[in-house]
mmCIF file of all heavy atoms in Angstrom:
data_model
loop_
_atom_site.group_PDB
_atom_site.id
_atom_site.type_symbol
_atom_site.label_atom_id
_atom_site.label_comp_id
_atom_site.label_asym_id
_atom_site.label_seq_id
_atom_site.Cartn_x
_atom_site.Cartn_y
_atom_site.Cartn_z
ATOM 1 N N LEU A 1544 -11.114 11.340 1.947
ATOM 2 C CA LEU A 1544 -10.675 10.552 3.094
ATOM 3 C C LEU A 1544 -10.506 9.135 2.791
ATOM 4 O O LEU A 1544 -9.580 8.336 3.128
ATOM 5 C CB LEU A 1544 -11.551 10.820 4.313
ATOM 6 C CG LEU A 1544 -11.234 9.970 5.560
ATOM 7 C CD1 LEU A 1544 -9.882 10.289 6.027
ATOM 8 C CD2 LEU A 1544 -12.162 10.302 6.665
ATOM 9 N N ALA A 1545 -11.508 8.560 2.143
ATOM 10 C CA ALA A 1545 -11.605 7.169 1.729
ATOM 11 C C ALA A 1545 -10.415 6.744 0.769
ATOM 12 O O ALA A 1545 -9.824 5.777 0.963
ATOM 13 C CB ALA A 1545 -12.916 6.741 1.131
ATOM 14 N N PHE A 1546 -10.113 7.725 -0.153
ATOM 15 C CA PHE A 1546 -9.106 7.457 -1.039
ATOM 16 C C PHE A 1546 -7.661 7.424 -0.387
ATOM 17 O O PHE A 1546 -6.914 6.572 -0.576
ATOM 18 C CB PHE A 1546 -8.987 8.517 -2.139
ATOM 19 C CG PHE A 1546 -7.879 8.455 -3.162
ATOM 20 C CD1 PHE A 1546 -7.848 7.604 -4.144
ATOM 21 C CD2 PHE A 1546 -6.748 9.261 -2.923
ATOM 22 C CE1 PHE A 1546 -6.730 7.387 -4.923
ATOM 23 C CE2 PHE A 1546 -5.610 9.204 -3.734
ATOM 24 C CZ PHE A 1546 -5.624 8.253 -4.858
ATOM 25 N N CYS A 1547 -7.507 8.411 0.608
ATOM 26 C CA CYS A 1547 -6.255 8.436 1.303
ATOM 27 C C CYS A 1547 -5.997 7.189 2.149
ATOM 28 O O CYS A 1547 -4.997 6.663 2.387
ATOM 29 C CB CYS A 1547 -6.064 9.728 2.025
ATOM 30 S SG CYS A 1547 -5.906 11.296 1.154
ATOM 31 N N ALA A 1548 -7.185 6.814 2.846
ATOM 32 C CA ALA A 1548 -7.123 5.697 3.645
ATOM 33 C C ALA A 1548 -6.887 4.368 2.802
ATOM 34 O O ALA A 1548 -6.262 3.451 3.287
ATOM 35 C CB ALA A 1548 -8.492 5.512 4.426
ATOM 36 N N TRP A 1549 -7.462 4.333 1.607
ATOM 37 C CA TRP A 1549 -7.247 3.089 0.696
ATOM 38 C C TRP A 1549 -5.777 3.074 0.281
ATOM 39 O O TRP A 1549 -5.255 1.949 0.361
ATOM 40 C CB TRP A 1549 -8.146 3.369 -0.488
ATOM 41 C CG TRP A 1549 -7.899 2.381 -1.608
ATOM 42 C CD1 TRP A 1549 -8.090 1.072 -1.616
ATOM 43 C CD2 TRP A 1549 -7.341 2.675 -3.020
ATOM 44 N NE1 TRP A 1549 -7.886 0.424 -2.765
ATOM 45 C CE2 TRP A 1549 -7.507 1.420 -3.656
ATOM 46 C CE3 TRP A 1549 -7.159 3.820 -3.777
ATOM 47 C CZ2 TRP A 1549 -7.063 1.306 -5.019
ATOM 48 C CZ3 TRP A 1549 -6.726 3.831 -4.985
ATOM 49 C CH2 TRP A 1549 -6.679 2.504 -5.703
ATOM 50 N N VAL A 1550 -5.209 4.208 0.014
ATOM 51 C CA VAL A 1550 -3.754 4.179 -0.307
ATOM 52 C C VAL A 1550 -2.988 3.900 0.892
ATOM 53 O O VAL A 1550 -1.949 3.029 0.922
ATOM 54 C CB VAL A 1550 -3.239 5.530 -1.023
ATOM 55 C CG1 VAL A 1550 -1.783 5.602 -1.123
ATOM 56 C CG2 VAL A 1550 -4.058 5.781 -2.208
ATOM 57 N N GLY A 1551 -3.367 4.505 2.027
ATOM 58 C CA GLY A 1551 -2.695 4.299 3.365
ATOM 59 C C GLY A 1551 -2.646 2.884 3.796
ATOM 60 O O GLY A 1551 -1.536 2.360 4.269
ATOM 61 N N THR A 1552 -3.819 2.189 3.678
ATOM 62 C CA THR A 1552 -3.765 0.731 3.935
ATOM 63 C C THR A 1552 -3.057 -0.137 2.919
ATOM 64 O O THR A 1552 -2.538 -1.252 3.211
ATOM 65 C CB THR A 1552 -5.263 0.236 4.243
ATOM 66 O OG1 THR A 1552 -5.982 0.544 2.966
ATOM 67 C CG2 THR A 1552 -5.843 0.944 5.368
ATOM 68 N N GLY A 1553 -3.118 0.353 1.717
ATOM 69 C CA GLY A 1553 -2.516 -0.425 0.572
ATOM 70 C C GLY A 1553 -0.970 -0.495 0.766
ATOM 71 O O GLY A 1553 -0.387 -1.474 0.297
ATOM 72 N N PHE A 1554 -0.333 0.468 1.438
ATOM 73 C CA PHE A 1554 1.074 0.364 1.640
ATOM 74 C C PHE A 1554 1.373 -0.628 2.724
ATOM 75 O O PHE A 1554 2.117 -1.532 2.421
ATOM 76 C CB PHE A 1554 1.593 1.764 1.980
ATOM 77 C CG PHE A 1554 2.040 2.555 0.842
ATOM 78 C CD1 PHE A 1554 1.457 3.736 0.524
ATOM 79 C CD2 PHE A 1554 3.119 2.154 -0.042
ATOM 80 C CE1 PHE A 1554 1.900 4.583 -0.590
ATOM 81 C CE2 PHE A 1554 3.533 2.892 -1.074
ATOM 82 C CZ PHE A 1554 2.829 4.124 -1.402
ATOM 83 N N PRO A 1555 1.038 -0.463 3.876
ATOM 84 C CA PRO A 1555 1.551 -1.364 5.007
ATOM 85 C C PRO A 1555 0.849 -2.655 5.289
ATOM 86 O O PRO A 1555 1.459 -3.684 5.500
ATOM 87 C CB PRO A 1555 1.460 -0.435 6.283
ATOM 88 C CG PRO A 1555 0.320 0.447 5.990
ATOM 89 C CD PRO A 1555 0.253 0.563 4.467
ATOM 90 N N VAL A 1556 -0.509 -2.620 5.122
ATOM 91 C CA VAL A 1556 -1.292 -3.719 5.634
ATOM 92 C C VAL A 1556 -0.948 -5.073 4.796
ATOM 93 O O VAL A 1556 -0.671 -6.132 5.384
ATOM 94 C CB VAL A 1556 -2.780 -3.440 5.556
ATOM 95 C CG1 VAL A 1556 -3.619 -4.697 6.005
ATOM 96 C CG2 VAL A 1556 -3.117 -2.375 6.551
ATOM 97 N N PRO A 1557 -0.921 -5.010 3.429
ATOM 98 C CA PRO A 1557 -0.713 -6.297 2.706
ATOM 99 C C PRO A 1557 0.646 -6.970 2.986
ATOM 100 O O PRO A 1557 0.946 -8.024 2.802
ATOM 101 C CB PRO A 1557 -0.823 -5.830 1.250
ATOM 102 C CG PRO A 1557 -1.737 -4.719 1.275
ATOM 103 C CD PRO A 1557 -1.340 -3.938 2.494
ATOM 104 N N VAL A 1558 1.710 -6.099 3.312
ATOM 105 C CA VAL A 1558 3.051 -6.652 3.682
ATOM 106 C C VAL A 1558 3.367 -6.722 5.128
ATOM 107 O O VAL A 1558 4.536 -6.971 5.498
ATOM 108 C CB VAL A 1558 4.092 -5.745 2.997
ATOM 109 C CG1 VAL A 1558 3.991 -5.775 1.390
ATOM 110 C CG2 VAL A 1558 4.071 -4.310 3.367
ATOM 111 N N LEU A 1559 2.390 -6.642 6.012
ATOM 112 C CA LEU A 1559 2.507 -6.792 7.499
ATOM 113 C C LEU A 1559 3.229 -8.037 7.809
ATOM 114 O O LEU A 1559 4.088 -8.078 8.605
ATOM 115 C CB LEU A 1559 1.207 -6.526 8.187
ATOM 116 C CG LEU A 1559 0.926 -5.136 8.587
ATOM 117 C CD1 LEU A 1559 -0.475 -5.021 9.287
ATOM 118 C CD2 LEU A 1559 1.929 -4.413 9.442
ATOM 119 N N PRO A 1560 2.708 -9.267 7.297
ATOM 120 C CA PRO A 1560 3.407 -10.488 7.722
ATOM 121 C C PRO A 1560 4.812 -10.422 7.379
ATOM 122 O O PRO A 1560 5.681 -10.932 8.231
ATOM 123 C CB PRO A 1560 2.615 -11.573 6.912
ATOM 124 C CG PRO A 1560 1.267 -10.949 6.700
ATOM 125 C CD PRO A 1560 1.548 -9.444 6.478
ATOM 126 N N TYR A 1561 5.272 -9.992 6.242
ATOM 127 C CA TYR A 1561 6.673 -9.928 5.830
ATOM 128 C C TYR A 1561 7.404 -8.928 6.787
ATOM 129 O O TYR A 1561 8.492 -9.269 7.256
ATOM 130 C CB TYR A 1561 6.751 -9.437 4.482
ATOM 131 C CG TYR A 1561 8.171 -8.976 4.090
ATOM 132 C CD1 TYR A 1561 9.160 -9.940 3.740
ATOM 133 C CD2 TYR A 1561 8.494 -7.596 4.179
ATOM 134 C CE1 TYR A 1561 10.524 -9.606 3.396
ATOM 135 C CE2 TYR A 1561 9.875 -7.288 3.772
ATOM 136 C CZ TYR A 1561 10.841 -8.184 3.446
ATOM 137 O OH TYR A 1561 12.037 -7.809 3.209
ATOM 138 N N ALA A 1562 6.795 -7.769 7.093
ATOM 139 C CA ALA A 1562 7.559 -6.817 7.890
ATOM 140 C C ALA A 1562 7.684 -7.325 9.277
ATOM 141 O O ALA A 1562 8.721 -7.219 9.899
ATOM 142 C CB ALA A 1562 6.698 -5.533 7.860
ATOM 143 N N VAL A 1563 6.609 -7.980 9.927
ATOM 144 C CA VAL A 1563 6.836 -8.462 11.185
ATOM 145 C C VAL A 1563 7.743 -9.646 11.266
ATOM 146 O O VAL A 1563 8.610 -9.693 12.155
ATOM 147 C CB VAL A 1563 5.329 -8.986 11.684
ATOM 148 C CG1 VAL A 1563 5.459 -9.752 13.080
ATOM 149 C CG2 VAL A 1563 4.354 -7.811 11.890
ATOM 150 N N LEU A 1564 7.778 -10.485 10.324
ATOM 151 C CA LEU A 1564 8.661 -11.705 10.273
ATOM 152 C C LEU A 1564 10.110 -11.179 10.135
ATOM 153 O O LEU A 1564 10.989 -11.642 10.880
ATOM 154 C CB LEU A 1564 8.290 -12.605 9.073
ATOM 155 C CG LEU A 1564 9.164 -13.854 9.040
ATOM 156 C CD1 LEU A 1564 9.086 -14.699 10.239
ATOM 157 C CD2 LEU A 1564 8.811 -14.697 7.821
ATOM 158 N N SER A 1565 10.332 -10.167 9.273
ATOM 159 C CA SER A 1565 11.663 -9.660 9.141
ATOM 160 C C SER A 1565 12.156 -9.067 10.401
ATOM 161 O O SER A 1565 13.446 -9.221 10.776
ATOM 162 C CB SER A 1565 11.765 -8.680 8.011
ATOM 163 O OG SER A 1565 10.980 -7.495 8.291
ATOM 164 N N SER A 1566 11.215 -8.496 11.206
ATOM 165 C CA SER A 1566 11.644 -7.845 12.486
ATOM 166 C C SER A 1566 12.061 -8.905 13.507
ATOM 167 O O SER A 1566 13.020 -8.943 14.148
ATOM 168 C CB SER A 1566 10.555 -7.084 13.051
ATOM 169 O OG SER A 1566 10.276 -6.030 12.226
ATOM 170 N N LEU A 1567 11.234 -10.035 13.508
ATOM 171 C CA LEU A 1567 11.451 -11.117 14.463
ATOM 172 C C LEU A 1567 12.794 -11.944 14.121
ATOM 173 O O LEU A 1567 13.453 -12.372 15.033
ATOM 174 C CB LEU A 1567 10.308 -12.116 14.412
ATOM 175 C CG LEU A 1567 8.977 -11.552 14.888
ATOM 176 C CD1 LEU A 1567 7.931 -12.680 14.845
ATOM 177 C CD2 LEU A 1567 9.105 -11.141 16.406
ATOM 178 N N LEU A 1568 13.127 -11.846 12.778
ATOM 179 C CA LEU A 1568 14.269 -12.536 12.343
ATOM 180 C C LEU A 1568 15.569 -11.711 12.529
ATOM 181 O O LEU A 1568 16.688 -12.140 12.123
ATOM 182 C CB LEU A 1568 14.245 -13.138 10.922
ATOM 183 C CG LEU A 1568 13.201 -14.169 10.707
ATOM 184 C CD1 LEU A 1568 13.079 -14.623 9.286
ATOM 185 C CD2 LEU A 1568 13.462 -15.439 11.617
ATOM 186 N N GLY A 1569 15.340 -10.418 12.912
ATOM 187 C CA GLY A 1569 16.487 -9.594 13.134
ATOM 188 C C GLY A 1569 17.000 -8.998 11.899
ATOM 189 O O GLY A 1569 18.227 -8.633 11.751
ATOM 190 N N SER A 1570 16.184 -8.734 10.890
ATOM 191 C CA SER A 1570 16.588 -7.999 9.644
ATOM 192 C C SER A 1570 17.097 -6.624 9.993
ATOM 193 O O SER A 1570 16.511 -5.948 10.870
ATOM 194 C CB SER A 1570 15.419 -7.983 8.679
ATOM 195 O OG SER A 1570 15.760 -7.201 7.572
ATOM 196 N N ALA A 1571 18.127 -6.235 9.329
ATOM 197 C CA ALA A 1571 18.590 -4.879 9.552
ATOM 198 C C ALA A 1571 17.575 -3.804 9.165
ATOM 199 O O ALA A 1571 17.608 -2.736 9.749
ATOM 200 C CB ALA A 1571 19.885 -4.776 8.640
#
Side-chain angles (χ1 to χ4, degrees):
L1544 176 60
F1546 175 79
C1547 291
W1549 174 63
V1550 175
T1552 53
F1554 270 117
V1556 177
V1558 295
L1559 271 179
Y1561 165 83
V1563 173
L1564 182 61
S1565 66
S1566 297
L1567 295 177
L1568 293 178
S1570 171

